[in-house]
Amino acid sequence: MSTGNASSFCCGRKLEHILPTATSISPKSTVEEIDTDYFITFDHPMTKEHYLSFAAYVKSDRVFLNRLYPEQSPTCRFPITNGGKLYVYCIKHGLVVYPDSL
Ligand SMILES: [Fe+2]
């Protein structure tokens, strides 16, 4: 029986683990409440060479994922809930987590 880490594959490619880095480099964010959502704007470039590729709001029992694309606005929406953590992934700087998330 193997006790090693399980590997995950997608479209034939092995998926790598990514761990959140220090929050000192996390882009500044502003949060507004619009209808039943948080509307979040990140202060971050969205060029083809340097952009945010996703933002995720993770709770113990659910995950909300917003895919983001270069040359579009660095914004996303999540349903208003409490107790989750906000993660953002930059293709240059990696994954950051906001400690005092929404
Ligand atoms: Fe970045």
Coordinates of all heavy atoms in Angstrom, one line a residue:
M1 N 0.8 -1.2 0.0 CA 0.0 0.0 0.0 C 0.9 1.2 0.0 O 1.9 1.3 0.7 CB -0.9 0.0 1.2 CG -1.9 1.1 1.2 SD -3.1 0.8 2.5 CE -2.6 2.0 3.7
S2 N 0.5 2.2 -0.8 CA 1.3 3.4 -0.9 C 0.9 4.4 0.2 O -0.3 4.6 0.4 CB 1.2 4.0 -2.3 OG 1.7 5.3 -2.3
T3 N 1.8 5.1 0.8 CA 1.5 6.2 1.7 C 1.9 7.5 1.2 O 1.9 8.5 1.9 CB 2.1 5.9 3.1 OG1 3.5 5.8 2.9 CG2 1.6 4.7 3.7
G4 N 2.3 7.6 -0.1 CA 2.8 8.9 -0.6 C 1.6 9.8 -0.9 O 0.4 9.4 -0.8
N5 N 1.9 11.0 -1.3 CA 0.8 12.0 -1.6 C 0.1 11.6 -2.9 O 0.8 11.1 -3.8 CB 1.5 13.4 -1.9 CG 2.0 14.0 -0.6 OD1 1.5 13.6 0.5 ND2 2.9 14.9 -0.7
A6 N -1.1 11.8 -2.9 CA -1.9 11.5 -4.1 C -1.6 12.5 -5.2 O -1.3 13.7 -4.8 CB -3.4 11.5 -3.8
S7 N -1.6 12.2 -6.4 CA -1.4 13.1 -7.5 C -2.7 13.3 -8.2 O -3.5 12.4 -8.4 CB -0.3 12.6 -8.5 OG 0.9 12.4 -7.9
S8 N -2.9 14.6 -8.6 CA -4.1 14.9 -9.4 C -3.7 15.3 -10.8 O -2.7 16.0 -11.0 CB -4.8 16.1 -8.7 OG -5.2 15.7 -7.4
F9 N -4.5 14.9 -11.8 CA -4.2 15.2 -13.2 C -5.4 15.9 -13.8 O -6.5 15.6 -13.4 CB -3.8 14.0 -14.0 CG -2.5 13.4 -13.6 CD1 -2.4 12.5 -12.5 CD2 -1.4 13.7 -14.3 CE1 -1.2 12.0 -12.1 CE2 -0.2 13.1 -13.9 CZ -0.1 12.3 -12.8
C10 N -5.1 16.9 -14.7 CA -6.1 17.5 -15.4 C -5.7 17.7 -16.9 O -4.6 18.2 -17.1 CB -6.5 18.9 -14.8 SG -7.8 19.7 -15.7
C11 N -6.5 17.2 -17.8 CA -6.1 17.3 -19.2 C -4.7 16.7 -19.5 O -3.9 17.2 -20.3 CB -6.2 18.7 -19.7 SG -7.8 19.5 -19.5
G12 N -4.4 15.6 -18.8 CA -3.1 15.0 -19.0 C -1.9 15.6 -18.3 O -0.8 15.1 -18.3
R13 N -2.1 16.7 -17.6 CA -1.0 17.4 -16.9 C -1.2 17.2 -15.4 O -2.3 17.3 -14.8 CB -1.0 18.9 -17.2 CG -0.6 19.2 -18.6 CD -0.2 20.7 -18.7 NE -1.2 21.6 -18.1 CZ -1.1 22.9 -18.1 NH1 -0.1 23.5 -18.7 NH2 -2.1 23.6 -17.5
K14 N 0.0 16.9 -14.7 CA -0.1 16.8 -13.3 C -0.3 18.2 -12.6 O 0.4 19.1 -13.0 CB 1.3 16.2 -12.8 CG 1.2 15.9 -11.3 CD 2.5 15.3 -10.8 CE 2.5 15.1 -9.3 NZ 3.8 14.8 -8.7
L15 N -1.2 18.2 -11.7 CA -1.5 19.5 -11.0 C -0.5 19.7 -9.9 O -0.3 18.7 -9.1 CB -2.9 19.5 -10.5 CG -4.0 19.3 -11.6 CD1 -5.4 19.4 -10.9 CD2 -3.9 20.4 -12.6
E16 N 0.1 20.8 -9.7 CA 1.0 21.1 -8.7 C 0.3 21.8 -7.5 O -0.7 22.5 -7.7 CB 2.1 22.1 -9.2 CG 2.9 21.6 -10.4 CD 3.8 20.5 -10.1 OE1 4.1 20.3 -8.9 OE2 4.1 19.7 -11.0
H17 N 0.8 21.5 -6.3 CA 0.2 22.2 -5.1 C 0.7 23.7 -5.2 O 1.8 24.0 -5.5 CB 0.8 21.6 -3.8 CG 0.2 20.3 -3.6 ND1 1.1 19.2 -3.2 CD2 -1.0 19.8 -3.6 CE1 0.3 18.1 -3.0 NE2 -0.9 18.4 -3.3
I18 N -0.2 24.6 -4.8 CA 0.2 26.0 -4.6 C -0.1 26.4 -3.2 O -1.2 26.1 -2.7 CB -0.3 27.0 -5.6 CG1 -1.8 26.8 -5.8 CG2 0.4 26.8 -7.0 CD1 -2.5 27.9 -6.7
L19 N 0.8 27.0 -2.5 CA 0.6 27.4 -1.1 C 0.5 28.9 -1.1 O 1.3 29.6 -1.8 CB 1.7 26.9 -0.2 CG 1.8 25.4 -0.1 CD1 3.0 25.0 0.7 CD2 0.5 24.9 0.6
P20 N -0.3 29.5 -0.3 CA -0.3 31.0 -0.2 C 1.0 31.6 0.3 O 1.6 31.0 1.2 CB -1.5 31.3 0.8 CG -1.9 30.0 1.3 CD -1.3 28.9 0.6
T21 N 1.4 32.7 -0.2 CA 2.6 33.4 0.3 C 2.3 34.5 1.2 O 1.1 34.7 1.6 CB 3.3 34.0 -1.0 OG1 2.4 34.8 -1.7 CG2 3.8 32.9 -1.9
A22 N 3.3 35.2 1.7 CA 3.1 36.3 2.6 C 2.1 37.3 2.1 O 2.1 37.6 0.9 CB 4.5 37.0 2.9
T23 N 1.4 37.8 3.0 CA 0.3 38.7 2.6 C 0.8 40.2 2.3 O 0.1 41.0 1.9 CB -0.8 38.8 3.7 OG1 -0.2 39.1 4.9 CG2 -1.5 37.5 3.8
S24 N 2.1 40.4 2.6 CA 2.6 41.8 2.3 C 2.6 42.1 0.9 O 2.6 43.3 0.5 CB 4.1 41.9 2.8 OG 4.8 40.9 2.2
I25 N 2.5 41.1 0.0 CA 2.4 41.4 -1.4 C 1.0 41.3 -2.0 O 0.8 41.4 -3.2 CB 3.4 40.6 -2.3 CG1 3.0 39.1 -2.1 CG2 4.8 40.8 -2.0 CD1 3.5 38.2 -3.2
S26 N 0.1 41.1 -1.1 CA -1.3 40.9 -1.6 C -1.8 42.3 -2.1 O -1.6 43.3 -1.5 CB -2.2 40.4 -0.5 OG -2.2 41.3 0.6
P27 N -2.5 42.2 -3.3 CA -3.0 43.5 -3.8 C -4.0 44.1 -2.9 O -4.8 43.4 -2.3 CB -3.6 43.1 -5.2 CG -3.6 41.6 -5.2 CD -2.8 41.1 -4.1
K28 N -4.0 45.4 -2.8 CA -5.1 46.1 -2.0 C -6.4 45.8 -2.6 O -6.6 45.7 -3.9 CB -4.8 47.6 -2.1 CG -3.8 48.1 -1.1 CD -4.1 49.5 -0.7 CE -3.2 50.0 0.3 NZ -1.9 50.5 -0.3
S29 N -7.4 45.6 -1.8 CA -8.7 45.3 -2.3 C -9.7 46.3 -1.7 O -9.6 46.7 -0.5 CB -9.1 43.9 -2.0 OG -9.2 43.7 -0.6
T30 N -10.8 46.6 -2.4 CA -11.9 47.3 -1.9 C -13.1 46.5 -2.0 O -13.3 45.8 -3.1 CB -12.1 48.7 -2.5 OG1 -12.2 48.5 -4.0 CG2 -10.9 49.6 -2.3
V31 N -14.0 46.5 -1.0 CA -15.2 45.7 -1.1 C -16.4 46.6 -0.9 O -16.5 47.4 -0.1 CB -15.2 44.7 0.1 CG1 -16.4 43.8 0.1 CG2 -13.9 43.9 0.1
E32 N -17.3 46.4 -1.9 CA -18.6 47.1 -1.8 C -19.7 46.0 -1.7 O -19.5 44.9 -2.2 CB -18.9 47.9 -3.1 CG -17.9 49.0 -3.4 CD -18.1 49.5 -4.8 OE1 -19.1 50.2 -5.1 OE2 -17.3 49.1 -5.7
E33 N -20.8 46.4 -1.1 CA -22.0 45.4 -1.1 C -22.9 45.9 -2.2 O -23.4 47.0 -2.2 CB -22.6 45.4 0.2 CG -21.7 44.8 1.3 CD -22.4 44.6 2.6 OE1 -23.7 44.7 2.7 OE2 -21.7 44.3 3.6
I34 N -23.2 45.0 -3.2 CA -24.1 45.3 -4.2 C -25.2 44.2 -4.2 O -24.8 43.0 -4.4 CB -23.4 45.4 -5.6 CG1 -22.4 46.5 -5.6 CG2 -24.4 45.5 -6.7 CD1 -21.7 46.7 -6.9
D35 N -26.4 44.5 -4.0 CA -27.5 43.5 -3.9 C -27.1 42.5 -2.9 O -26.9 42.8 -1.7 CB -27.8 42.9 -5.3 CG -28.1 43.9 -6.3 OD1 -28.8 44.9 -6.0 OD2 -27.7 43.7 -7.5
T36 N -27.0 41.2 -3.2 CA -26.7 40.2 -2.3 C -25.2 39.8 -2.4 O -24.9 38.7 -1.8 CB -27.6 38.9 -2.5 OG1 -27.4 38.5 -3.9 CG2 -29.1 39.2 -2.3
D37 N -24.4 40.6 -3.1 CA -23.0 40.2 -3.3 C -22.0 41.2 -2.7 O -22.3 42.4 -2.5 CB -22.7 40.2 -4.8 CG -23.4 39.0 -5.5 OD1 -23.8 38.0 -4.8 OD2 -23.4 39.0 -6.7
Y38 N -20.9 40.7 -2.4 CA -19.7 41.5 -2.2 C -19.1 41.8 -3.6 O -18.9 40.8 -4.4 CB -18.6 40.8 -1.4 CG -18.9 40.7 0.0 CD1 -18.9 39.4 0.6 CD2 -19.2 41.8 0.8 CE1 -19.2 39.2 2.0 CE2 -19.5 41.6 2.2 CZ -19.4 40.3 2.7 OH -19.7 40.2 4.1
F39 N -18.9 43.0 -4.0 CA -18.2 43.3 -5.2 C -16.8 43.8 -4.9 O -16.6 44.8 -4.2 CB -19.0 44.4 -6.0 CG -18.4 44.8 -7.3 CD1 -18.6 44.0 -8.4 CD2 -17.6 45.9 -7.4 CE1 -18.0 44.3 -9.6 CE2 -17.0 46.2 -8.7 CZ -17.2 45.4 -9.8
I40 N -15.8 43.0 -5.3 CA -14.4 43.3 -4.8 C -13.6 43.7 -6.0 O -13.6 43.2 -7.1 CB -13.8 42.0 -4.3 CG1 -14.7 41.4 -3.2 CG2 -12.4 42.2 -3.7 CD1 -14.3 40.1 -2.6
T41 N -12.9 44.8 -5.8 CA -11.9 45.4 -6.8 C -10.5 45.3 -6.2 O -10.2 45.7 -5.1 CB -12.3 46.8 -7.1 OG1 -13.6 46.9 -7.5 CG2 -11.4 47.4 -8.2
F42 N -9.6 44.7 -7.0 CA -8.2 44.5 -6.6 C -7.4 45.6 -7.3 O -7.6 45.9 -8.5 CB -7.7 43.1 -7.0 CG -8.4 42.0 -6.3 CD1 -9.4 41.3 -7.0 CD2 -8.2 41.7 -5.0 CE1 -10.1 40.3 -6.3 CE2 -8.8 40.7 -4.3 CZ -9.8 40.0 -5.0
D43 N -6.5 46.2 -6.6 CA -5.5 47.1 -7.2 C -4.3 46.3 -7.7 O -3.3 46.1 -7.0 CB -5.1 48.1 -6.1 CG -4.2 49.2 -6.6 OD1 -4.0 49.3 -7.8 OD2 -3.6 49.9 -5.8
H44 N -4.5 45.9 -9.0 CA -3.5 45.0 -9.5 C -3.5 45.1 -11.1 O -4.6 45.2 -11.6 CB -3.8 43.5 -9.1 CG -2.7 42.6 -9.4 ND1 -2.5 42.0 -10.7 CD2 -1.7 42.1 -8.7 CE1 -1.5 41.2 -10.7 NE2 -0.9 41.3 -9.5
P45 N -2.4 45.0 -11.8 CA -2.4 45.0 -13.2 C -3.1 43.8 -13.8 O -3.3 42.8 -13.2 CB -0.9 44.9 -13.6 CG -0.1 45.1 -12.4 CD -1.0 44.8 -11.2
M46 N -3.6 44.0 -15.0 CA -4.3 42.9 -15.7 C -3.8 42.9 -17.2 O -4.5 42.7 -18.1 CB -5.8 43.1 -15.7 CG -6.5 42.9 -14.3 SD -6.2 41.3 -13.6 CE -7.6 40.4 -14.4
T47 N -2.4 43.0 -17.3 CA -1.8 42.8 -18.6 C -1.6 41.4 -19.0 O -1.8 40.5 -18.1 CB -0.5 43.5 -18.7 OG1 0.4 42.8 -17.8 CG2 -0.6 45.0 -18.2
K48 N -1.3 41.1 -20.2 CA -1.1 39.7 -20.6 C 0.1 39.1 -19.9 O 0.1 37.8 -19.7 CB -0.9 39.6 -22.1 CG -2.1 39.8 -22.9 CD -1.9 39.7 -24.4 CE -3.2 39.9 -25.2 NZ -2.9 40.2 -26.6
E49 N 1.0 39.9 -19.4 CA 2.2 39.4 -18.8 C 2.1 39.3 -17.3 O 2.9 38.6 -16.6 CB 3.4 40.3 -19.1 CG 3.9 40.3 -20.5 CD 2.9 41.2 -21.4 OE1 2.4 42.2 -20.8 OE2 2.7 40.9 -22.6
H50 N 1.1 40.0 -16.7 CA 1.0 40.1 -15.3 C -0.5 40.4 -14.9 O -1.0 41.5 -15.1 CB 1.9 41.2 -14.8 CG 1.9 41.4 -13.3 ND1 2.4 42.5 -12.6 CD2 1.5 40.5 -12.3 CE1 2.3 42.3 -11.3 NE2 1.8 41.1 -11.1
Y51 N -1.2 39.3 -14.5 CA -2.6 39.5 -14.2 C -3.0 38.5 -13.1 O -2.3 37.5 -12.8 CB -3.4 39.3 -15.4 CG -3.4 37.9 -16.1 CD1 -4.3 36.9 -15.7 CD2 -2.4 37.6 -17.0 CE1 -4.3 35.7 -16.3 CE2 -2.3 36.3 -17.6 CZ -3.3 35.4 -17.2 OH -3.2 34.1 -17.8
L52 N -4.2 38.8 -12.5 CA -4.8 37.8 -11.6 C -5.6 36.8 -12.4 O -6.4 37.2 -13.3 CB -5.7 38.6 -10.7 CG -5.1 39.7 -9.8 CD1 -6.2 40.4 -9.0 CD2 -4.0 39.1 -8.9
S53 N -5.4 35.5 -12.1 CA -6.1 34.5 -12.9 C -7.3 33.9 -12.2 O -8.2 33.4 -12.8 CB -5.2 33.4 -13.4 OG -4.8 32.6 -12.4
F54 N -7.4 34.1 -10.9 CA -8.6 33.7 -10.2 C -8.7 34.3 -8.8 O -7.7 34.7 -8.2 CB -8.9 32.2 -10.1 CG -7.9 31.4 -9.2 CD1 -8.2 31.4 -7.8 CD2 -6.9 30.7 -9.7 CE1 -7.4 30.7 -7.0 CE2 -6.0 30.0 -8.8 CZ -6.3 30.0 -7.5
A55 N -9.9 34.5 -8.3 CA -10.2 34.8 -6.9 C -11.1 33.8 -6.4 O -12.1 33.4 -7.1 CB -10.8 36.2 -6.9
A56 N -10.9 33.3 -5.2 CA -11.7 32.3 -4.6 C -12.1 32.7 -3.2 O -11.2 33.2 -2.4 CB -11.0 30.9 -4.6
Y57 N -13.3 32.4 -2.8 CA -13.8 32.6 -1.5 C -14.1 31.2 -0.9 O -14.9 30.5 -1.5 CB -15.0 33.5 -1.5 CG -15.5 33.9 -0.1 CD1 -14.7 34.7 0.7 CD2 -16.7 33.4 0.4 CE1 -15.2 35.0 2.0 CE2 -17.1 33.7 1.7 CZ -16.4 34.5 2.5 OH -16.8 34.8 3.7
V58 N -13.4 30.8 0.1 CA -13.4 29.5 0.6 C -13.9 29.4 2.0 O -13.4 30.0 2.9 CB -12.0 28.9 0.6 CG1 -12.0 27.4 1.0 CG2 -11.4 29.0 -0.8
K59 N -15.0 28.7 2.2 CA -15.6 28.4 3.5 C -15.3 26.9 3.8 O -14.9 26.2 3.0 CB -17.1 28.7 3.5 CG -17.3 30.2 3.3 CD -18.8 30.5 3.6 CE -19.1 30.2 5.0 NZ -20.4 30.7 5.4
S60 N -15.7 26.5 5.0 CA -15.5 25.1 5.4 C -16.3 24.2 4.5 O -15.9 23.0 4.3 CB -15.8 24.9 6.9 OG -17.2 25.3 7.1
D61 N -17.5 24.6 4.0 CA -18.3 23.7 3.3 C -18.6 24.1 1.9 O -19.4 23.5 1.2 CB -19.7 23.6 4.0 CG -20.4 24.9 4.2 OD1 -19.8 25.9 4.0 OD2 -21.6 24.9 4.5
R62 N -18.0 25.2 1.4 CA -18.2 25.6 0.0 C -17.1 26.5 -0.5 O -16.4 27.2 0.2 CB -19.6 26.2 -0.2 CG -19.8 27.5 0.5 CD -21.3 27.9 0.5 NE -22.1 27.0 1.3 CZ -23.4 26.9 1.3 NH1 -24.1 27.8 0.6 NH2 -24.1 26.1 2.0
V63 N -17.0 26.6 -1.9 CA -16.0 27.4 -2.5 C -16.7 28.2 -3.6 O -17.5 27.6 -4.4 CB -14.9 26.5 -3.1 CG1 -13.9 27.3 -4.0 CG2 -14.1 25.7 -2.1
F64 N -16.4 29.5 -3.7 CA -16.9 30.3 -4.8 C -15.6 30.7 -5.6 O -14.7 31.2 -5.0 CB -17.6 31.5 -4.3 CG -18.8 31.2 -3.4 CD1 -18.8 31.2 -2.1 CD2 -20.0 30.9 -4.1 CE1 -19.9 30.9 -1.3 CE2 -21.1 30.6 -3.3 CZ -21.1 30.6 -1.9
L65 N -15.7 30.5 -6.8 CA -14.5 30.7 -7.7 C -14.9 31.7 -8.8 O -15.8 31.5 -9.5 CB -14.0 29.4 -8.3 CG -12.7 29.5 -9.1 CD1 -11.5 29.8 -8.3 CD2 -12.5 28.2 -9.9
N66 N -14.0 32.7 -8.9 CA -14.2 33.7 -10.0 C -12.9 33.6 -10.9 O -11.8 33.9 -10.4 CB -14.3 35.1 -9.6 CG -15.7 35.5 -9.2 OD1 -16.1 36.6 -9.6 ND2 -16.4 34.7 -8.4
R67 N -13.1 33.1 -12.1 CA -11.9 33.1 -13.1 C -11.8 34.5 -13.6 O -12.8 35.2 -13.9 CB -12.3 32.2 -14.2 CG -11.2 32.0 -15.2 CD -10.1 31.0 -14.7 NE -9.3 30.6 -15.8 CZ -8.2 31.3 -16.2 NH1 -7.9 32.4 -15.7 NH2 -7.5 30.9 -17.3
L68 N -10.5 35.0 -13.6 CA -10.2 36.4 -14.1 C -9.3 36.3 -15.3 O -8.6 35.3 -15.5 CB -9.6 37.2 -13.0 CG -10.4 37.3 -11.7 CD1 -9.5 38.0 -10.7 CD2 -11.7 38.0 -11.9
Y69 N -9.4 37.3 -16.2 CA -8.7 37.2 -17.5 C -7.9 38.5 -17.7 O -8.4 39.6 -17.3 CB -9.7 37.0 -18.6 CG -10.4 35.6 -18.5 CD1 -11.6 35.6 -17.9 CD2 -9.8 34.5 -19.0 CE1 -12.3 34.3 -17.7 CE2 -10.5 33.3 -18.9 CZ -11.7 33.2 -18.2 OH -12.3 32.0 -18.1
P70 N -6.7 38.4 -18.4 CA -6.0 39.6 -18.7 C -6.8 40.5 -19.6 O -7.6 40.1 -20.4 CB -4.8 39.0 -19.5 CG -5.1 37.7 -20.0 CD -6.1 37.1 -19.0
E71 N -6.5 41.8 -19.4 CA -7.1 42.9 -20.2 C -8.6 43.0 -19.8 O -9.4 43.6 -20.5 CB -6.9 42.8 -21.7 CG -5.4 42.8 -21.9 CD -5.0 42.8 -23.4 OE1 -5.8 42.3 -24.2 OE2 -3.9 43.2 -23.7
Q72 N -9.0 42.4 -18.7 CA -10.4 42.6 -18.2 C -10.2 43.2 -16.8 O -9.1 43.4 -16.3 CB -11.2 41.3 -18.1 CG -11.5 40.8 -19.5 CD -12.4 39.6 -19.5 OE1 -13.0 39.3 -18.5 NE2 -12.5 39.0 -20.7
S73 N -11.3 43.7 -16.2 CA -11.1 44.4 -14.9 C -10.8 43.4 -13.8 O -11.3 42.3 -13.8 CB -12.4 45.2 -14.6 OG -13.4 44.3 -14.4
P74 N -10.0 43.9 -12.8 CA -9.6 43.0 -11.7 C -10.7 43.0 -10.6 O -10.5 43.5 -9.5 CB -8.3 43.6 -11.2 CG -8.4 45.0 -11.5 CD -9.3 45.1 -12.8
T75 N -11.9 42.5 -11.0 CA -13.0 42.6 -10.0 C -13.7 41.2 -10.0 O -13.6 40.4 -10.9 CB -14.1 43.6 -10.5 OG1 -14.5 43.3 -11.8 CG2 -13.5 45.0 -10.5
C76 N -14.4 41.0 -8.9 CA -15.2 39.8 -8.8 C -16.3 40.0 -7.9 O -16.4 41.0 -7.1 CB -14.3 38.6 -8.4 SG -13.6 38.9 -6.7
R77 N -17.3 39.0 -7.9 CA -18.4 39.1 -7.0 C -18.6 37.7 -6.3 O -18.4 36.7 -6.9 CB -19.7 39.3 -7.8 CG -19.8 40.7 -8.3 CD -21.0 40.8 -9.2 NE -22.3 41.0 -8.4 CZ -23.1 42.0 -8.6 NH1 -23.0 42.9 -9.6 NH2 -24.2 42.1 -7.9
F78 N -18.9 37.8 -5.0 CA -19.2 36.6 -4.2 C -20.5 36.9 -3.4 O -20.7 38.0 -3.0 CB -18.1 36.3 -3.2 CG -16.8 36.0 -3.9 CD1 -15.7 36.9 -3.8 CD2 -16.6 34.8 -4.5 CE1 -14.5 36.6 -4.4 CE2 -15.4 34.5 -5.1 CZ -14.3 35.4 -5.1
P79 N -21.3 35.9 -3.2 CA -22.4 36.1 -2.3 C -22.0 36.5 -0.9 O -21.0 36.1 -0.4 CB -23.1 34.7 -2.2 CG -22.4 33.9 -3.3 CD -21.2 34.5 -3.6
I80 N -22.8 37.4 -0.3 CA -22.4 37.9 1.0 C -22.6 36.8 2.0 O -23.7 36.3 2.2 CB -23.3 39.1 1.4 CG1 -23.0 40.3 0.5 CG2 -23.1 39.5 2.9 CD1 -23.9 41.5 0.7
T81 N -21.5 36.4 2.6 CA -21.5 35.4 3.6 C -20.4 35.7 4.6 O -19.6 36.6 4.4 CB -21.2 33.9 3.1 OG1 -19.9 33.9 2.5 CG2 -22.2 33.5 2.1
N82 N -20.3 35.0 5.7 CA -19.3 35.3 6.7 C -18.4 34.1 6.9 O -18.9 32.9 6.6 CB -19.9 35.7 8.1 CG -20.6 37.0 8.0 OD1 -20.1 37.9 7.4 ND2 -21.8 37.0 8.6
G83 N -17.3 34.3 7.5 CA -16.4 33.2 8.0 C -15.6 32.5 6.9 O -15.0 31.4 7.2
G84 N -15.5 33.1 5.7 CA -14.6 32.4 4.7 C -13.3 33.2 4.6 O -13.1 34.2 5.2
K85 N -12.5 32.7 3.7 CA -11.2 33.3 3.4 C -11.1 33.6 1.9 O -11.6 32.8 1.1 CB -10.0 32.4 3.8 CG -9.8 32.4 5.3 CD -8.4 31.9 5.6 CE -8.1 32.1 7.1 NZ -6.9 31.4 7.5
L86 N -10.5 34.8 1.6 CA -10.4 35.2 0.2 C -9.0 34.9 -0.3 O -8.0 35.3 0.4 CB -10.7 36.7 0.2 CG -10.6 37.3 -1.2 CD1 -11.6 36.8 -2.2 CD2 -10.7 38.8 -1.1
Y87 N -8.9 34.2 -1.4 CA -7.6 33.9 -2.0 C -7.6 34.5 -3.4 O -8.6 34.6 -4.1 CB -7.5 32.3 -2.2 CG -7.3 31.5 -1.0 CD1 -8.5 31.2 -0.2 CD2 -6.1 31.1 -0.5 CE1 -8.3 30.4 0.9 CE2 -5.9 30.4 0.6 CZ -7.1 30.0 1.3 OH -6.9 29.3 2.5
V88 N -6.4 35.0 -3.8 CA -6.2 35.5 -5.1 C -4.9 35.0 -5.7 O -3.9 34.8 -5.0 CB -6.1 37.1 -5.1 CG1 -5.8 37.6 -6.4 CG2 -7.5 37.6 -4.6
Y89 N -5.0 34.6 -7.0 CA -3.8 34.1 -7.6 C -3.3 35.0 -8.7 O -4.0 35.3 -9.7 CB -4.1 32.7 -8.2 CG -2.9 32.0 -8.8 CD1 -1.9 31.5 -7.9 CD2 -2.7 31.9 -10.1 CE1 -0.7 30.9 -8.5 CE2 -1.5 31.4 -10.7 CZ -0.6 30.9 -9.8 OH 0.6 30.3 -10.3
C90 N -2.1 35.4 -8.6 CA -1.4 36.2 -9.6 C -0.4 35.3 -10.4 O 0.3 34.5 -9.7 CB -0.6 37.4 -9.0 SG 0.6 38.2 -10.0
I91 N -0.4 35.4 -11.7 CA 0.5 34.5 -12.4 C 2.0 34.8 -12.2 O 2.8 33.9 -12.4 CB 0.2 34.6 -14.0 CG1 0.5 36.0 -14.5 CG2 -1.2 34.1 -14.3 CD1 0.8 35.9 -16.0
K92 N 2.3 36.0 -11.7 CA 3.7 36.3 -11.4 C 4.0 36.1 -9.9 O 5.1 35.6 -9.6 CB 4.0 37.8 -11.7 CG 4.8 38.0 -12.9 CD 5.2 39.5 -13.0 CE 6.0 39.7 -14.2 NZ 6.3 41.2 -14.3
H93 N 3.1 36.5 -9.0 CA 3.4 36.5 -7.6 C 2.8 35.3 -6.8 O 3.0 35.2 -5.6 CB 3.0 37.8 -7.0 CG 3.7 39.0 -7.6 ND1 3.1 39.9 -8.4 CD2 5.0 39.3 -7.5 CE1 4.0 40.8 -8.8 NE2 5.1 40.5 -8.3
G94 N 2.0 34.5 -7.5 CA 1.5 33.3 -6.8 C 0.2 33.6 -6.0 O -0.5 34.6 -6.2
L95 N 0.0 32.7 -5.1 CA -1.3 32.7 -4.4 C -1.1 33.5 -3.1 O -0.2 33.3 -2.4 CB -1.7 31.3 -4.0 CG -3.1 31.0 -3.4 CD1 -4.2 31.4 -4.4 CD2 -3.2 29.6 -2.9
V96 N -2.1 34.4 -2.8 CA -2.1 35.1 -1.6 C -3.5 34.9 -0.9 O -4.5 34.7 -1.6 CB -1.8 36.6 -1.7 CG1 -0.4 36.9 -2.2 CG2 -2.9 37.3 -2.6
V97 N -3.4 34.9 0.4 CA -4.7 34.7 1.2 C -4.8 36.0 2.0 O -3.8 36.5 2.6 CB -4.7 33.4 2.0 CG1 -3.5 33.4 3.0 CG2 -6.0 33.3 2.8
Y98 N -6.0 36.5 2.1 CA -6.3 37.7 3.0 C -6.7 37.1 4.4 O -7.7 36.4 4.5 CB -7.4 38.5 2.4 CG -7.0 39.2 1.1 CD1 -6.9 38.5 -0.1 CD2 -6.6 40.5 1.2 CE1 -6.5 39.2 -1.2 CE2 -6.1 41.2 0.0 CZ -6.1 40.5 -1.2 OH -5.7 41.1 -2.3
P99 N -5.9 37.4 5.4 CA -6.1 36.8 6.7 C -7.4 37.2 7.3 O -8.1 36.4 7.9 CB -4.9 37.3 7.5 CG -4.4 38.5 6.8 CD -4.7 38.4 5.4
D100 N -7.8 38.5 7.2 CA -9.1 38.9 7.8 C -10.1 39.1 6.7 O -10.5 40.2 6.3 CB -8.9 40.2 8.6 CG -7.9 40.1 9.7 OD1 -8.0 39.1 10.4 OD2 -7.0 41.0 9.8
S101 N -10.4 37.9 6.1 CA -11.3 38.0 4.9 C -12.7 38.3 5.3 O -13.0 38.5 6.5 CB -11.2 36.6 4.2 OG -9.9 36.4 3.8
L102 N -13.5 38.3 4.4 CA -14.9 38.9 4.5 C -15.7 38.2 5.7 O -15.5 37.1 6.0 CB -15.6 38.6 3.2 CG -14.9 39.1 2.0 CD1 -15.5 38.6 0.7 CD2 -14.8 40.6 2.0
Ligands
FE1 FE 1.1 40.3 -9.2

